Amino acid sequence: MRKAGPIPDYRFQPMEKGDLPEVIQFWQRMEGIGLSESDSYSALSFYLQRNPGLSWVARNRDRDLIGAVLCGHDGRRGYLHHLAVAPDWRRKGIGRALVDRCLSSLRELKILKCNVFLFSHNPEGEAFWGGMGWKGREDLVLMQRVL
Ligand SMILES: CC(C)(COP(=O)(O)OP(=O)(O)OC[C@H]1O[C@@H](n2cnc3c(N)ncnc32)[C@H](O)[C@@H]1OP(=O)(O)O)[C@@H](O)C(=O)NCCC(=O)NCCS
């Protein structure tokens, strides 16, 4: 019989509806994350239902939430939202691992490109995405309309 290895410091799990109250509180505490009416419990439940298995959480051994990311697609492009890692757990590869999980699922779904939106004054966020090979599209401007 194989011996059990050491218990990892943290583990990754697909985000589920039951995670949402805690995830929303986690994001509310996080600098660099902006929440809107589209981030209510019911709106995010709908998002998870439309994009099953694509969003992830990370939890430590005590099952405290230490990271989260929302991921979805529209059949053409993938989208990542609200990637955050708890300050005490940063620079350990958790952010990268959350993103990698999202991207590999999108690849399996034959989605060719993924977008992420970040606030224009978020140098840490830019360093993170830039360091992982993401490029800003200088030729595009995001426009939006309230429906
Ligand atoms: C951005 C964030 C998610 C990164 O999470 P993380 O778990 O610390 O990231 P990782 O450890 O996986 O870092 C991967 C690589 O990104 C780069 N990176 C991460 N944070 C960085 C920082 N503050 N400055 C410069 N480079 C950084 C590094 O190249 C790093 O690789 P290295 O550790 O081998 O040097 C985290 O800092 C965070 O939650 N910030 C607040 C919320 C936010 O701004 N989210 C992004 C907007 S959507």
Side-chain angles (χ1 to χ4, degrees):
M1 209 170 78
R2 242 177 75 189
K3 261 180 134 180
I7 303 169
D9 286 344
Y10 49 85
R11 58 171 56 196
F12 300 97
Q13 294 165 330
M15 189 187 294
E16 291 179 4
K17 229 167 138 174
D19 294 309
L20 285 175
E22 203 183 346
V23 167
I24 293 168
Q25 281 188 1
F26 175 76
W27 283 330
Q28 282 168 341
R29 295 195 298 270
M30 223 41 74
E31 213 174 305
I33 302 294
L35 298 185
S36 73
E37 60 282 359
S38 307
D39 299 296
S40 64
Y41 174 80
S42 61
L44 291 176
S45 299
F46 180 53
Y47 189 89
L48 294 182
Q49 192 185 322
R50 269 185 55 109
N51 297 283
L54 295 183
S55 300
W56 289 85
V57 294
R59 290 184 179 280
N60 69 11
R61 285 185 194 190
D62 298 329
R63 299 202 34 82
D64 300 325
L65 189 74
I66 57 166
V69 62
L70 272 188
C71 173
H73 72 88
D74 58 15
R76 182 171 179 275
R77 294 284 179 255
Y79 296 89
L80 297 183
H81 304 278
H82 302 341
L83 171 71
V85 172
D88 289 351
W89 291 85
R90 289 182 190 166
R91 302 307 287 260
K92 296 177 191 296
I94 296 174
R96 183 193 292 274
L98 287 166
V99 171
D100 285 350
R101 278 169 168 71
C102 296
L103 298 189
S104 65
S105 304
L106 290 172
R107 270 188 213 103
E108 280 173 24
L109 294 166
K110 309 273 185 264
I111 300 294
L112 300 180
K113 292 185 182 174
C114 186
N115 296 327
V116 65
F117 304 103
L118 55 156
F119 288 122
S120 37
H121 299 294
N122 182 353
E124 286 204 347
E126 266 184 61
F128 172 82
W129 294 106
M132 298 209 310
W134 293 62
K135 303 260 182 289
R137 287 285 302 260
E138 307 299 337
D139 55 332
L140 295 181
V141 174
L142 176 68
M143 296 185 76
Q144 193 172 69
R145 215 189 126 164
V146 176
L147 305 185

